[in-house]
Amino acid sequence: MHRLLLVFVAASAASVLGLPVEDVSPPSDPCLAPLQWEGRWVSFDHSTGRNSRSSVSYDGLKQRVRVLQQNKKHTPCQRFFEYIFLYQSGVMFQIDQKTKDCSKIALTDAFDPFDIPKNSTFEDQYLIGGPGDSVEVQEWSDRKPARQHETWVGVYTLKDCYPVQETYVRNSSVTTSTRFFNLQLGISDPDIFTPPSTCQSARPQRMSDSSC
């Protein structure tokens, strides 16, 4: 879920379209998502209309996430950052990829893992893609009988419970949606969660996304 994380790094389409799977009985419990993985995501912030493409390393065991924004040269004024979220320490580091300037910001929200909470509501099961080239997924939400609208919708693969898409809603409007892809199990380099030496004298304010 990661509301704070997605606000900082901004993700794409509000829903995933797929072919329905007929006669699916609702599962008794959600699948268990992997605790450590690396991959990429495209995040779309609906309030700003901006996409953010990033490489991501996720460590649910130690409650830490590293996000490296992909540099798009056709946006000359935009600054690109590396974000290191250390939830057990309650801090987030924002590092300018070019200058290595660093900000250290307190995290006020608790760690919210990329998984399907056990009290989630099963919404649907369907195939993403076409005949002979499809992936079966399940869709879950935090919708409850006493509340008509959900504030979170998550789509996860049926086989290995990898995240495919997460969407957040506030006041009946989609705020952030994120698509995940090219995921691999494990963390290739644990040192990526260690802030660079420039963060020893980090500023306490978040840096601007624009250099113009």
Side-chain angles (χ1 to χ4, degrees), residues 36-79:
Q36 292 181 322
W37 51 259
E38 293 181 317
R40 296 173 61 195
W41 73 27
V42 179
S43 180
F44 182 70
D45 188 329
H46 293 252
S47 63
T48 63
R50 291 180 57 182
N51 277 297
S52 177
R53 298 177 180 271
S54 307
S55 298
V56 183
S57 298
Y58 168 73
D59 183 2
L61 291 174
K62 296 186 178 181
Q63 299 183 3
R64 52 190 185 173
V65 182
R66 185 251 196 173
V67 178
L68 185 67
Q69 290 184 314
Q70 182 178 343
N71 192 330
K72 291 292 185 180
K73 297 185 184 302
H74 58 265
T75 52
C77 289
Q78 185 175 349
R79 301 169 70 183

Side-chain angles (χ1 to χ4, degrees), residues 92-159:
M92 184 274 288
F93 294 93
Q94 178 195 25
I95 302 108
D96 187 305
Q97 293 185 28
K98 183 177 181 179
T99 66
K100 302 304 178 182
D101 289 343
C102 182
S103 292
K104 181 180 180 181
I105 301 169
L107 293 174
T108 57
D109 288 358
F111 179 68
D112 193 359
F114 287 114
D115 65 2
I116 309 170
K118 283 191 172 295
N119 62 348
S120 298
T121 298
F122 176 75
E123 298 289 355
D124 204 354
Q125 184 169 317
Y126 46 82
L127 300 174
I128 296 177
D133 188 15
S134 60
V135 177
E136 193 166 4
V137 299
Q138 288 185 344
E139 183 176 304
W140 297 77
S141 78
D142 64 351
R143 181 175 56 86
K144 296 293 181 288
R147 187 178 66 235
Q148 182 179 0
H149 300 292
E150 62 273 1
T151 61
W152 166 81
V153 178
V155 179
Y156 282 72
T157 61
L158 181 65
K159 181 177 181 294

